[in-house]
Amino acid sequence: MTAVDWAVLCFAYLVGLMLTAIPSDLAGIPLGAIGLFAAGVTAAFTIRPFWRTGPQTWVWIAAGLVGVAAILHVQMRLPQPSATDICHLVFEANPPVQVTRELLAPPVCQPSIAAKSTAQRFRVKGRIVSSPRLTRSERIQFELAAQEASATTRRGQVVVPAQPVTGTLYVTVPRAAEANLYPGLTVEVEGTLYKPEPAVNPGGFDFARYLAQQGIFAGLNGRRVLFPAVDRADPPLLWSIRQRIIQVQGFLLSSPEAPLLSAMVLGRKGVNVPYELQDQFAEVGLAHVLAASGFQVSLLIGVLVALTRRLRSAIRFWLGLSVIGLYVGLTGAEPPAVRAGLMGVAVLLGLTLERKVKPLACLWAAATLMLLWNPLWIWNLGFQLSFLATLGLLVTVPVLTKWLDWLPSTLASTIAVPTAAYLWLLPLQLYAFGVVSPYSVPVNVLTSPLVTLISIGGMISGAVALIYPPAGSALAWLLGYPTHGLIWMVEVSSRLPSNTYALGTLAVGQILLLYGLFALVWLWRRVQPYWWLAGLVGLGLVLVPIWYNAATLTRVTVLATSDQPVLVVQEKGQTGLIYQGDEKTTEFTVLPFLRQQGINRIDWAIAPYLGEAELAGWQRVLQSRPVQRLYTISATSAALDQPLNVSSIQKNSELNRLLPLSNGQPLPMSHQITATLVNSKPLMLQLQLGKHSWFWLDRLPADHPPLSLPHQATAVQTLIWSGQNLPLPLLQQLRPMATIAIERETASETEAWLQQHRAEQYWLDQDGALQWSEQTGFITTRTMD
């Protein structure tokens, strides 16, 4: 078999894995498998006349069979909970999640009888199987291989004896327990079992799917950690080595320089880099600096080759292989590090055999071997980014370097590398995150000397730390100066205007067309002189849909939250936002949705009760995008229980005007939208969008007197309220045609009245976010997917 034959078979395997995204089947056979086998047979009898030197007929048929085998391989490797999995103890198990990638949807765990008859508090005994790490909520997270579980009371008293269980738990515990935890340790954790939640809002994180891909179907919110009176297992060797390097490098350095230095050497897995710093690196396009990947491995190989030049080739190879294996193990064997390690081994093998190494063939082989080992990595974002970035460097850097041959070679390479990676990763980044970093290339160019110096110095410091810790600490202390300089450059870059710009997430079809253009320019020499035309077509594929939506879209989105509703109104390029300003809701619900929709400016906003507690959330919004007009109830209003600190928000340059919201005064928000504060306490807000009237009703106190609504607040189309039982006279005044409740606590009288009057009923805690437009009516989150 020729190299081309192998390439075709590997490509068929990769395509087969990607076709697992198609959920449909025919007579139990996945449509992807049927289509791929048909394509292989068709190619066997049609391509040969046009490509006489290409693969023979049997190779194409074999490629179709390999693609089918890839799809079956994924189905066989999909994690499934066993009959004794601890997820069966979770009360009210998750219903099936209808998603595009159906093969990767989390399986459903049925609740056990014991779980239904007891509280949800459990004491779970198991073995820690991952490195404990710090979460954004300042808790320690690790994975626990469960062995036995018993139901307990709030005080920790066992009410149901321990029963053997299996499966892995996603565990979080208080930070105080961090010092005593390590992989391989057997512990008992008391806390509350819960079911991981799927994404309920557009742009939200699908926690259930993320854990299910790792074979985890339940979580444990731990209250305390107990250590059984048994012989403790020693920590794993690689974990101990990594911890020693981190501790030695942090002995003389403080945070954030110390964890940043360790993360640039070992990757951020297992290193508690402050999340604020991680976010800043991601915003300016330097997230790859904190991920152990090809850059670190290439530096490591370069240092090894230089130091072992006088050794015999066989000794140099085995020494290099050992060092690369040790390094990949220290990083946690994440897909990017494994890919870089495999390609590094190929380079060492080529040097040993004195044969030229073909980088593209090495990349193709490394990807295939990794996916044979774990086919689910095909949907791992780290694997995708690493593969595409490396492909872009191999294909595009030589061309860019040739264009920049008028510059010094070092400078030309420094510019070409981040430019090539940026171009090849841009479509995938827009698909996954919906944002671009305009300053990514210049920031990478400017920081390249510091990144190289810190990475090489950090590796030397880490190696010395294993031999003589004081010397390793001293070297790390010296690296604190360039590390501080790098942090300063990142902070300055993150404060530049529009340092991140939201374009909105791309559709799968757009991604395929964009990478199809890339492949066309790369592989077809006749098209290469017209690369600029392909670039214009690519820009059109991204920008034309954005322009069309901005010019025509009129839509209201009600985001699913646990307390106050969030309304986002999009009207032909203008955006309105109505919500209280809770900081957690802002971070995990509002901002991801705005990024996903490509919203970079809020034209008008309403924060009914803007007190001190709500300022934090709105400040976070203002840091990310400007707000032209913000309406709120006056500080002198009786609706506020505390004075309104206006000065702290007015000083923010991203807020143009802060305006009062007064009872009964219609306020024009845009050409077709008018907002009216009907009542301040309890809050009643009416929003008129063309002919459609929305009415926001806050929770009514139990002893609240009967309400008399003004004429314009009657006969609304949509009512948004908490879900509590509503007085029948109020319902008769409003006469809603559709209702949206935050959670389903509706009493029988209210629900019966709504059913009698044929009102559409939606519950955010069950249906997820809702989107409405005149053309489609209401669409739930699951329908959107």
Side-chain angles (χ1 to χ4, degrees):
M1 291 180 61
T2 66
V4 175
D5 295 339
W6 284 109
V8 169
L9 294 178
C10 292
F11 181 74
Y13 182 75
L14 298 180
V15 172
L17 296 180
M18 289 187 289
L19 288 179
T20 56
I22 302 176
S24 304
D25 61 75
L26 182 64
I29 303 176
L31 284 183
I34 297 174
L36 194 55
F37 181 73
V41 173
T42 303
F45 297 100
T46 57
I47 289 184
R48 189 70 176 177
F50 302 96
W51 189 8
R52 297 187 179 278
T53 60
Q56 299 180 14
T57 301
W58 70 268
V59 174
W60 294 108
I61 297 177
L65 293 174
V66 167
V68 173
I71 295 176
L72 298 178
H73 190 196
V74 171
Q75 291 181 327
M76 293 174 59
R77 292 292 299 274
L78 281 177
Q80 298 289 339
S82 65
T84 58
D85 195 287
I86 193 170
C87 71
H88 297 294
L89 297 178
V90 181
F91 181 50
E92 293 181 355
N94 224 356
V97 179
Q98 301 298 326
V99 290
T100 302
R101 195 171 300 127
E102 188 175 273
L103 290 175
L104 300 182
V108 181
C109 286
Q110 300 298 330
S112 67
I113 297 177
K116 293 183 179 180
S117 60
T118 62
Q120 288 297 288
R121 292 183 176 271
F122 287 87
R123 178 183 295 172
V124 181
K125 180 180 178 181
R127 182 173 56 88
I128 299 175
V129 293
S130 68
S131 297
R133 65 179 185 88
L134 189 66
T135 67
R136 287 184 182 269
S137 57
E138 296 294 317
R139 290 172 63 84
I140 301 301
Q141 184 274 322
F142 55 87
E143 295 171 11
L144 186 74
Q147 299 171 351
E148 60 181 34
S150 56
T152 65
T153 64
R154 289 181 177 270
R155 297 182 178 180
Q157 297 178 336
V158 177
V159 294
V160 176
Q163 56 180 305
V165 293
T166 59
T168 306
L169 278 175
Y170 180 94
V171 180
T172 57
V173 297
R175 189 173 184 178
E178 178 182 16
N180 301 317
L181 301 177
Y182 55 83
L185 178 65
T186 299
V187 296
E188 293 181 354
V189 183
E190 288 184 359
T192 305
L193 281 176
Y194 64 89
K195 55 184 179 182
E197 293 292 337
V200 295
N201 292 298
F205 179 60
D206 196 334
F207 189 46
R209 185 187 306 282
Y210 168 75
L211 293 183
Q213 291 178 358
Q214 304 175 59
I216 302 174
F217 307 102
L220 178 63
N221 186 9
R223 184 172 58 89
R224 65 171 178 165
V225 180
L226 304 175
F227 301 92
V230 296
D231 294 334
R232 292 191 179 187
D234 294 329
L237 178 61
L238 290 177
W239 183 87
S240 300
I241 295 174
R242 181 168 65 238
Q243 291 304 114
R244 178 165 182 172
I245 293 174
I246 295 172
Q247 291 170 2
V248 170
Q249 291 182 336
F251 184 74
L252 297 178
L253 277 180
S254 58
S255 183
E257 286 82 6
L260 176 59
L261 173 62
S262 299
M264 292 179 64
V265 176
L266 302 171
R268 62 175 172 264
K269 183 178 181 180
V271 181
N272 293 327
V273 181
Y275 281 99
E276 182 180 0
L277 187 62
Q278 292 188 42
D279 294 340
Q280 290 176 340
F281 269 72
E283 288 173 0
V284 301
L286 288 176
H288 62 91
V289 172
L290 304 179
S293 58
F295 177 74
Q296 286 84 351
V297 172
S298 62
L299 290 177
L300 191 63
I301 292 176
V303 173
L304 278 173
V305 170
L307 295 177
T308 60
R309 185 172 300 172
R310 297 184 179 181
L311 297 178
R312 293 173 52 190
S313 58
I315 297 177
R316 182 172 58 185
F317 171 76
W318 289 109
L319 181 61
L321 182 64
S322 302
V323 171
I324 290 177
L326 175 63
Y327 179 75
V328 172
L330 289 176
T331 63
E334 289 292 294
V338 174
R339 192 274 312 158
L342 290 175
M343 295 189 68
V345 171
V347 171
L348 289 176
L349 187 61
L351 292 174
T352 303
L353 300 177
E354 298 183 351
R355 297 183 60 179
K356 186 178 180 180
V357 177
K358 297 180 179 179
L360 279 176
C362 289
L363 175 62
W364 212 245
T368 304
L369 288 174
M370 291 175 64
L371 294 174
L372 283 171
W373 173 260
N374 185 357
L376 298 182
W377 274 348
I378 191 67
W379 302 117
N380 182 285
L381 186 59
F383 172 85
Q384 296 169 349
L385 292 171
S386 176
F387 178 83
L388 286 173
T390 307
L391 179 61
L393 296 180
L394 297 177
V395 171
T396 312
V397 166
V399 178
L400 295 178
T401 305
K402 185 177 180 180
W403 289 355
L404 299 172
D405 58 0
W406 51 275
L407 293 173
S409 58
T410 302
L411 181 58
S413 177
T414 302
I415 296 174
V417 168
T419 302
Y422 184 80
L423 290 175
W424 278 81
L425 293 180
L426 186 58
L428 181 59
Q429 287 179 337
L430 287 176
Y431 173 76
F433 308 113
V435 297
V436 295
S437 302
Y439 308 114
S440 176
V441 173
V443 169
N444 273 272
V445 172
L446 293 175
T447 59
S448 178
L450 285 177
V451 170
T452 303
L453 173 63
I454 297 169
S455 298
I456 295 178
M459 290 180 180
I460 297 174
S461 169
V464 173
L466 301 178
I467 303 172
Y468 186 58
S473 297
L475 289 174
W477 178 80
L478 291 176
L479 292 171
Y481 293 99
T483 304
H484 181 77
L486 177 61
I487 294 174
W488 177 81
M489 294 180 69
V490 170
E491 290 177 346
V492 171
S493 302
S494 67
R495 291 195 295 266
L496 293 174
S498 301
N499 66 303
T500 57
Y501 192 83
L503 290 177
T505 54
L506 300 184
V508 175
Q510 290 174 286
I511 295 293
L512 295 177
L513 289 174
L514 286 171
Y515 281 116
L517 283 174
F518 284 15
L520 188 67
V521 175
W522 165 35
L523 298 173
W524 197 357
R525 292 186 178 181
R526 293 184 179 181
V527 179
Q528 289 175 357
Y530 304 98
W531 61 268
W532 56 271
L533 182 59
L536 291 177
V537 173
L539 285 175
L541 287 172
V542 175
L543 298 180
V544 169
I546 294 174
W547 168 82
Y548 179 78
N549 278 338
T552 61
L553 181 65
T554 299
R555 182 171 63 194
V556 177
T557 303
V558 184
L559 299 177
T561 59
S562 59
D563 186 14
Q564 293 288 338
V566 177
L567 269 70
V568 181
V569 184
Q570 299 166 268
E571 186 210 1
K572 297 181 179 179
Q574 292 195 340
T575 302
L577 175 62
I578 306 175
Y579 87 118
Q580 288 293 86
D582 176 73
E583 189 172 9
K584 185 177 180 180
T585 301
T586 301
E587 190 68 34
F588 298 106
T589 302
V590 176
L591 293 182
F593 176 77
L594 297 179
R595 285 193 293 265
Q596 191 246 12
Q597 293 294 307
I599 297 173
N600 295 284
R601 184 184 72 174
I602 307 296
D603 295 279
W604 58 268
I606 298 177
Y609 300 145
L610 187 59
E612 295 296 331
E614 291 77 20
L615 281 177
W618 277 103
Q619 290 284 18
R620 185 69 183 91
V621 172
L622 292 168
Q623 290 171 3
S624 64
R625 47 193 39 82
V627 176
Q628 300 301 308
R629 291 171 291 149
L630 177 60
Y631 295 88
T632 184
I633 296 175
S634 172
T636 59
S637 171
L640 292 177
D641 297 326
Q642 56 182 338
L644 177 63
N645 185 1
V646 177
S647 60
S648 64
I649 197 169
Q650 283 180 321
K651 292 179 181 178
N652 194 303
S653 59
E654 298 296 335
L655 176 63
N656 286 359
R657 287 185 293 170
L658 183 66
L659 303 171
L661 191 63
S662 304
N663 279 355
Q665 179 183 355
L667 297 172
M669 300 294 166
S670 64
H671 297 297
Q672 299 185 29
I673 301 176
T674 302
T676 305
L677 180 63
V678 178
N679 193 66
S680 57
K681 193 174 184 180
L683 174 66
M684 296 183 186
L685 182 68
Q686 186 171 6
L687 189 70
Q688 191 70 36
L689 176 58
K691 297 181 180 180
H692 197 98
S693 177
W694 297 71
F695 195 88
W696 180 344
L697 175 62
D698 204 358
R699 178 176 288 275
L700 298 175
D703 57 348
H704 196 275
L707 294 170
S708 179
L709 301 179
H711 174 71
Q712 64 270 23
T714 58
V716 300
Q717 274 74 35
T718 303
L719 169 65
I720 304 174
W721 96 110
S722 64
Q724 70 178 136
N725 187 32
L726 295 177
L728 292 182
L730 179 61
L731 287 172
Q732 292 169 356
Q733 291 183 72
L734 292 173
R735 288 177 291 166
M737 300 175 64
T739 61
I740 302 174
I742 296 177
E743 57 184 349
R744 191 165 192 172
E745 57 177 271
T746 309
S748 58
E749 293 182 0
T750 301
E751 190 166 358
W753 189 95
L754 294 173
Q755 292 176 353
Q756 179 183 356
H757 291 76
R758 299 181 180 179
E760 296 181 72
Q761 298 182 62
Y762 299 96
W763 293 270
L764 295 179
D765 62 334
Q766 297 179 10
D767 299 316
L770 295 167
Q771 289 186 336
W772 173 91
S773 67
E774 290 186 359
Q775 294 77 21
T776 62
F778 285 101
I779 301 176
T780 66
T781 298
R782 294 180 177 86
T783 308
M784 298 175 208
D785 292 334

